[in-house]
Amino acid sequence: MKTQNAYNAILNGNILITTVVGIINRDNTRKVFNQLKVQIPQLDGAPWGNLVDVRQWGLSSADINDSLVDLELWVRKHGRTHLVFVMGTENAGIKKFTLEQYLGNNLQKEKVKLVETKSEALTWLGKSGFHLAIDN
């Protein structure tokens, strides 16, 4: 059975949980961007954290760079202060390398982190004041 390539973004408390499955492209990225433009204003400008689960990520097509830049600029402008990627263990090296290419020096900052498990990500976000409204 083929896995559908997509993003899924759910706002839970003051954490946006984004799950990335398969190989993402510009259309997937635009769809999640439009979804965020509806979800994030619900926070009324309050800071929020983003947990990005890339354990099932099959990397990205070459055409998404501009879309990712637009998305990143928008989320920073609209209150995202902390970003954590859940890497898992499968293909973690190539995922880390790819994220380093996308994020550059941002990976060196204290408000961006790469972890292995979702539990580690939620603990790290919790220490910065970000919590789930519904634990699932």
Side-chain angles (χ1 to χ4, degrees):
M1 184 166 94
K2 185 179 178 189
T3 303
Q4 184 173 349
N5 303 332
Y7 288 97
N8 182 32
I10 298 170
L11 186 60
N12 184 335
N14 59 358
I15 299 175
L16 180 75
I17 300 173
T18 309
T19 305
V20 183
V21 177
I23 298 171
I24 55 172
N25 59 37
R26 185 175 25 188
D27 290 340
N28 302 128
T29 305
R30 285 182 182 155
K31 285 178 186 173
V32 81
F33 193 3
N34 289 333
Q35 187 179 355
L36 295 182
K37 288 178 180 180
V38 172
Q39 292 175 317
I40 296 308
Q42 297 172 34
L43 295 171
D44 290 327
W48 53 280
N50 192 184
L51 183 157
V52 183
D53 186 341
V54 295
R55 290 177 291 179
Q56 296 180 56
W57 178 34
L59 303 181
S60 306
S61 63
D63 65 352
I64 71 163
N65 289 347
D66 291 340
S67 297
L68 287 178
V69 169
D70 293 343
L71 177 66
E72 184 64 16
L73 291 172
W74 189 90
V75 296
R76 286 185 191 178
K77 183 178 176 182
H78 290 87
R80 195 217 51 220
T81 61
H82 289 68
L83 173 62
V84 59
F85 290 91
V86 179
M87 306 290 290
T89 56
E90 188 175 339
N91 300 315
I94 190 71
K95 290 174 188 175
K96 182 179 180 188
F97 175 79
T98 303
L99 289 171
E100 287 171 347
Q101 302 308 303
Y102 287 139
L103 298 171
N105 291 332
N106 287 323
L107 276 180
Q108 307 305 317
K109 297 182 179 176
E110 63 186 38
K111 294 184 178 183
V112 179
K113 190 162 182 75
L114 304 178
V115 298
E116 190 173 304
T117 68
K118 193 171 181 180
S119 176
E120 289 174 280
L122 291 171
T123 298
W124 181 76
L125 287 169
K127 289 178 182 177
S128 298
F130 301 103
H131 303 283
L132 300 176
I134 301 168
D135 191 14
N136 55 359

